[in-house]
Every structure is written in structure tokens, then in C-alpha cells.
Amino acid sequence: MKRCVALLAAALLNVGCTVGPRYKRPTVAVPGSYRGAAPEQAAQPQIASLGDQKWWEVFQDEQLRTLIRTALQHNYDLRIAASHVLEAQAQLGITRADQFPTLSGGAAIADVRTAQSKFLPAFETSTGQANASAIWTLDFWGQYRRATEAARANLLASQWAQQEVVSTLVADVAAAYFQLRALDLQLEISKRTLNSRQESLRLTRVLADGGATSVLDVRQAEQLVFTASAEVPSLEQQIEQQENLLSILLGQNPADVPRGQTLTEQRQPPEVPAGLPSALLERRPDIREAEDQLIAANAEIGVARAAYFPQISLSGTGGFQSSALSNLFSGPAGAWTFGSSLTQPIFTGGRLRSGVRLAEARQRTAVLVYQQSIQTAFRSVSDSLVAYRKSREFREQEELLFQSAQDAARLSHMRYTGGVTGYLEVLTNETNAFSAELAVVQARQNELLALVQLYEALGGGWQQ
């Protein structure tokens, strides 16, 4: 009997099938080159992309590298993403277990005494038993295999989601660090300008006390001092708040953040290779996550369709039963049962049909999300390419503007000292020079931030 059941199970498994559509990657329109790339890059898109480089190769500031390593160890978003991966691994194990038989064992002993009645004397009985049972629902239509396929794809999706968090974290730490160094440089410029203007105010007051200039010139010199001094507490506030932001990214309580290279010492390439657009589909974690979610949704259609077909189950129990424990494992105490069952849904009120429609609708949604994520990725790369190129051009013009404003301020001081012009000219040109120097710092920061955004858009940062 046992041999017959085993042969039946083997035969059913051999002829079993898997219902539901096989996964096929949707067709997407991939451009030959990125919009926004420099002409020489568009002509040679096969050059290795910046996104293929490790983050420690892109960012040369050793202190920034240390901060990124700390964030990768302690950041809470990344640790939460790692926990989601563990959840998906456990869910895969639970789902996969449905493909195998369920085995269980048990033992029981009972003593029963019946009271004396009018027609029967009192008597006692003792019963003991030990048994093992097995239940196996055959995956004849591939319902459990499709469910396992979906769970495995969800696991991969969670792993890519974790890599996406890594990429975002690396970019966030780098961007926050560059913003901090920009604020440091602006504070340094403001303090240096304040000291220079305080000295100029002192000299103007000396001249006014000697009758060589008017009180109006003193008031105008005071405006220059107050303009520079007002920037200092504002920048100090922003610096401390930026340090708090960086500390949270590092998974730490708000504290001071150590510095490395100054903003002007940060190196960045004049041109950034973007690479082939088709390679972006394999490199960006969010695209890979969307595709694995699509694979899972596709497999769920098979799970829903398999519910239309009959379920075939095999069950068996074997063990020993005796009224005397001393004879439980000897004598004619063996007992067993084997059987099989088939269950076919007949009427479910449209539940099965709606289940299939739901799975198909989710699959169509996943296709659209996947295609949308690709278009969004191409746009982010194009935006970042043009932002990096134009921010560099803007920074170069801001540097020329500062040089001109600085020279105008120098000449106005000479004219004022020579008595050719009034202090109003000095006030105007000093204000312009101060604003232009701060604008250069902002332009340098924007150029570095554009590089960080481009690196993230190209799918870089998660490679370890």
C-alpha cells in the first residue's frame, strides 16, 4: 500500500505543470545617448560611466569618506532596510515550506474508570498510543511554486531597496558635507570682511574727528560693518543646524562634525562620463527593485489561476496503540491509515475570477511602475548632466564677477582716499564685492551638489 501511494505521488509530480504566464521583460524605449550630455560624450556613449565607480573613488576627501563609512554602519534608515530584507528572507522560507509534506508526531495515555451500575460492575481501562502523521498537498498546478517565485522576487526587490537606501545615504552625506563646508567658507569670508570693515570704520572715525570727513561717511562705513556682522550669527546658526543634520545621517545624536578639505580644495572632474543609457537599467537599484516587484506580480497571477483547479492531498498516519503500556511496541499493536483527497471548487461567488483579475491588474500596475521608473531615471540623469555642466559655467562667470567687483572696491577706496569721490561709492562697491564673493561660494557648492546628484542618478554609490 505504501509503495502504491509513493508511486502515485511520483507520477503526479512528473506530469504536474505550472499555470500562469512566464515572465518577459517589458519593452522600453531606451535612447542612444543622454539628453544634456556634452557633444563629445554623446558621440562616445560607450565610455565607462561615473556610476560604475565606487563612492570612495569619486569623493577624494578622506574625512568625507570616514563620515560615509560611519553612516553605512549606523544610519537607521539603512538598518531598517536590512531588517526588511530579513523579513523577506523569512517570508520566502514560509512560502517555500508549502511545497513539502507536513510531518507531525504525538503520544497519548489515558486511564478511565467506569462506575458500577445496576447491570455492569465497575471496571478500569488504560490506553496508550504513539503515532506519526504526514499530510502533503501536491503542487500539481504549480500554485506553491509560483508563490515561491513571487516570494523570491520580493526578497530580491527588498535587497535592491536596501541598495537604493545605500546609494541615497552616500549622496545625502556627501551633499550635507559639501553644504557644511560652503557655510564654513562663507563664515570665514564674513569674519574676514567684518574685520576689514571694522578697521575701515575706525579710520573713518579718526578722519571725522579731525574734520577731514563728514559724519555721513561714518554712518556709511557703519552700514558696511553691520552688513557683515549680521551675516556671522546667521551663518553660525546654519552651520550648527547642518551639523545636526549630518549627525542624524550618521546615526548619532547631534554633535560637532569633523572637517577635512575646504570647499575650494574639493576636486571634481571637468566632464563626467555618463555611459550607455541601456546600462542604467542594470545599474540603478530603483529600476532593479521595480523589475523584481513586476516579476513577483507576474508570478501571483499563476497563484490565482491555480485556485481554479482541484487540490490533491495525500495523508497517512502510522503508530502503535495498546491497552497495556508494556505491550505498546510489541505484539499486534501497530496501526496505520493512508488516504488521498481531491477538492474542486464549484461555486465561490466569483471570488476566484476576481482573484485572477486582481492579480492581473496588479501586474499591469507593476509594468507601468517599471516603465515609469525607467523614464524617471533617464530624466534625472539628463537633468543632472545639464545641471553639472551649467553650474560649472555659472561658477566661472561668478568668479569673473567677483574679480571685477573686488577690483572696483579697491579702486573706489583709492578714489575716496584721494578725495575724488565720496564714501557712498565705497559703500556700493564694497557691498557688491562682499555679495559677489559669497555668490562664488554658493556657485561652488551648487557645482559639487550637481556632481553628487549626477552620481546618484547614474546609479552609483551602492557598490561596495
Side-chain angles (χ1 to χ4, degrees):
M1 181 64 179
K2 295 180 182 180
R3 182 175 298 178
C4 293
V5 173
L7 291 175
L8 175 61
L12 289 173
L13 289 176
N14 287 333
V15 300
C17 60
T18 304
V19 298
R22 293 184 179 275
Y23 173 73
K24 182 180 179 181
R25 176 179 285 183
T27 302
V28 293
V30 179
S33 61
Y34 293 107
R35 185 171 188 262
E40 57 273 15
Q41 291 187 24
Q44 296 179 329
Q46 68 277 7
I47 299 176
S49 172
L50 175 71
D52 292 322
Q53 298 183 30
K54 309 294 191 300
W55 57 262
W56 57 86
E57 298 172 346
V58 176
F59 305 118
Q60 299 298 315
D61 190 330
E62 189 56 41
Q63 185 57 53
L64 173 57
R65 292 172 177 172
T66 301
L67 294 176
I68 292 176
R69 292 190 187 99
T70 302
L72 293 177
Q73 293 175 354
H74 303 290
N75 179 264
Y76 278 98
D77 288 334
L78 187 54
R79 291 160 69 180
I80 291 171
S83 296
H84 290 329
V85 173
L86 297 178
E87 292 177 11
Q89 288 176 341
Q91 185 60 52
L92 173 59
I94 294 172
T95 304
R96 187 170 178 268
D98 291 334
Q99 300 182 49
F100 302 97
T102 299
L103 304 176
S104 60
I109 185 171
D111 289 321
V112 179
R113 183 181 187 278
T114 303
Q116 181 178 356
S117 66
K118 181 177 180 180
F119 302 101
L120 296 174
F123 67 92
E124 294 183 8
T125 59
S126 179
T127 304
Q129 63 177 11
N131 60 65
S133 61
I135 300 176
W136 189 7
T137 301
L138 300 180
D139 193 20
F140 189 75
W141 311 108
Q143 180 180 19
Y144 299 140
R145 279 171 286 167
R146 286 298 193 192
T148 301
E149 179 184 350
R152 187 175 290 110
N154 285 326
L155 170 59
L156 294 175
S158 67
Q159 291 173 338
W160 281 114
Q162 181 184 15
Q163 302 297 359
E164 185 180 358
V165 173
V166 172
S167 179
T168 303
L169 179 61
V170 169
D172 287 347
V173 172
Y177 180 77
F178 291 145
Q179 290 171 332
L180 178 62
R181 297 308 281 142
L183 291 170
D184 289 338
L185 183 54
Q186 288 177 332
L187 180 62
E188 177 186 335
I189 292 171
S190 297
K191 288 183 175 180
R192 184 180 70 241
T193 302
L194 176 60
N195 292 334
S196 174
R197 291 180 176 181
Q198 286 175 335
E199 178 62 20
S200 179
L201 174 61
R202 186 187 66 80
L203 295 175
T204 304
R205 283 172 174 168
V206 170
L207 293 175
D209 292 342
T213 187
S214 66
V215 178
L216 177 61
D217 290 345
V218 175
R219 294 293 178 262
Q220 291 174 337
E222 288 175 344
Q223 293 178 39
L224 291 176
V225 171
F226 299 150
T227 300
S229 61
E231 286 291 329
V232 173
S234 174
L235 289 169
E236 289 175 340
Q237 171 189 340
Q238 296 177 60
I239 287 173
E240 188 165 339
Q241 291 174 340
Q242 191 68 19
E243 287 181 322
N244 294 343
L245 171 63
L246 255 175
S247 298
I248 297 303
L249 290 175
L250 301 180
Q252 301 173 350
N253 291 325
D256 294 337
V257 175
R259 272 55 158 192
Q261 298 175 354
T262 64
L263 188 73
T264 55
E265 293 172 338
Q266 304 293 334
R267 290 179 291 175
Q268 65 263 19
E271 294 293 341
V272 176
L276 290 169
S278 58
L280 191 67
L281 275 62
E282 304 297 330
R283 192 188 309 116
R284 279 196 46 144
D286 58 335
I287 296 179
R288 299 294 298 272
E289 178 190 2
E291 183 174 16
D292 284 320
Q293 290 174 341
L294 172 57
I295 294 173
N298 188 79
E300 289 292 347
I301 296 178
V303 176
R305 289 183 180 176
Y308 274 113
F309 300 95
Q311 282 193 342
I312 303 173
S313 300
L314 304 178
S315 62
T317 303
F320 303 91
Q321 183 175 359
S322 175
S323 60
L325 292 180
S326 59
N327 297 328
L328 182 60
F329 299 104
S330 63
W336 56 265
T337 60
F338 292 97
S340 61
S341 64
L342 184 147
T343 304
Q344 170 64 53
I346 297 176
F347 177 75
T348 60
R351 179 186 297 273
L352 299 182
R353 181 174 63 254
S354 297
V356 173
R357 290 177 177 175
L358 175 61
E360 291 174 343
R362 287 175 174 172
Q363 189 267 352
R364 286 193 293 270
T365 301
V367 170
L368 296 174
V369 170
Y370 172 67
Q371 294 172 334
Q372 183 185 46
S373 65
I374 293 175
Q375 284 194 346
T376 302
F378 287 149
R379 178 198 168 184
S380 64
V381 173
S382 297
D383 288 349
S384 300
L385 281 170
V386 68
Y388 184 63
R389 191 173 74 254
K390 295 303 180 182
S391 63
R392 183 178 68 252
E393 296 175 4
F394 180 78
R395 186 257 306 164
E396 292 170 351
Q397 295 303 313
E398 286 293 315
E399 289 175 344
L400 294 176
L401 175 61
F402 168 61
Q403 293 172 7
S404 178
Q406 190 178 42
D407 193 51
R410 181 184 62 82
L411 293 175
S412 65
H413 269 288
M414 292 176 60
R415 285 164 55 83
Y416 174 72
T417 304
V420 178
T421 186
Y423 204 82
L424 178 60
E425 181 178 307
V426 177
L427 171 65
T428 302
N429 288 291
E430 279 281 352
T431 302
N432 292 339
F434 181 50
S435 300
E437 189 171 10
L438 294 180
V440 169
V441 176
Q442 186 68 42
R444 288 183 179 274
Q445 171 191 305
N446 292 340
E447 186 178 0
L448 286 169
L449 294 181
L451 175 64
V452 173
Q453 293 169 357
L454 177 57
Y455 181 54
E456 182 184 9
L458 289 171
W462 59 270
Q463 300 91 335
Q464 301 297 321

